[in-house]
Amino acid sequence: YQQTFSAPYLGVNIQSAGDVGVPLLLTLGLRYSPLARGEDVDIHHLRSLRFETEGRNGTWYGADIKLDFGIDERTSVKLGYFNQRYSEILGGMMVTDLITGARSYYGGNAAGLDHSSSMFSLGINHEF
């Protein structure tokens, strides 16, 4: 099973710097697209069928927050969290019989796909 998503988007980052004994940089990012696309391919081996779906004009949201702690002038520790969601994208579906090669297309909103994911990150940055 494979899903592929893409979206042109607009976004904004907001940063705030401070010092509480160590330099801190907080960054908040927000992103949005009403033009998300999605495709998937799902092969059912036991049934010898391949399902292919393609949809357009879905919605994508992304948000992240990052915190950068300065340890010294050349070293910092970075913590981050990123979340994204593709809301259900509806579209047509092609079903292919892998034995005979026969294909059937189901148009309109016959199928849908969506995705959400989150990621935490931890990094150390050092300038030489």
Side-chain angles (χ1 to χ4, degrees):
Y1 187 71
Q2 177 181 345
Q3 289 184 323
T4 305
F5 294 92
S6 62
Y9 64 86
L10 294 174
V12 62
N13 278 340
I14 301 168
Q15 289 188 330
S16 179
D19 195 322
V20 291
V22 296
L24 295 175
L25 178 63
L26 177 66
T27 305
L28 173 65
L30 301 171
R31 291 155 193 76
Y32 170 76
S33 176
L35 302 173
R37 283 181 57 127
E39 300 176 354
D40 75 357
V41 176
D42 188 5
I43 299 175
H44 292 211
H45 294 283
L46 294 177
R47 297 168 52 195
S48 298
L49 296 173
R50 180 204 315 266
F51 296 83
E52 298 171 83
T53 303
E54 182 176 320
R56 299 172 187 244
N57 298 324
T59 303
W60 175 76
Y61 304 90
D64 60 80
I65 185 166
K66 294 174 260 180
L67 187 57
D68 190 337
F69 300 92
I71 295 174
D72 60 34
E73 290 181 11
R74 295 172 31 192
T75 307
S76 63
V77 174
K78 299 175 183 291
L79 299 170
Y81 173 74
F82 177 79
N83 183 275
Q84 69 175 350
R85 174 154 178 75
Y86 287 88
S87 296
E88 187 174 35
I89 301 171
L90 300 174
M93 176 176 58
M94 177 71 71
V95 180
T96 304
D97 185 311
L98 298 174
I99 295 173
T100 67
R103 300 175 83 180
S104 299
Y105 180 75
Y106 302 90
N109 295 332
L113 57 158
D114 61 25
H115 172 80
S116 63
S117 60
S118 297
M119 178 179 72
F120 289 96
S121 66
L122 171 63
I124 296 176
N125 187 50
H126 182 77
E127 296 177 17
F128 292 95

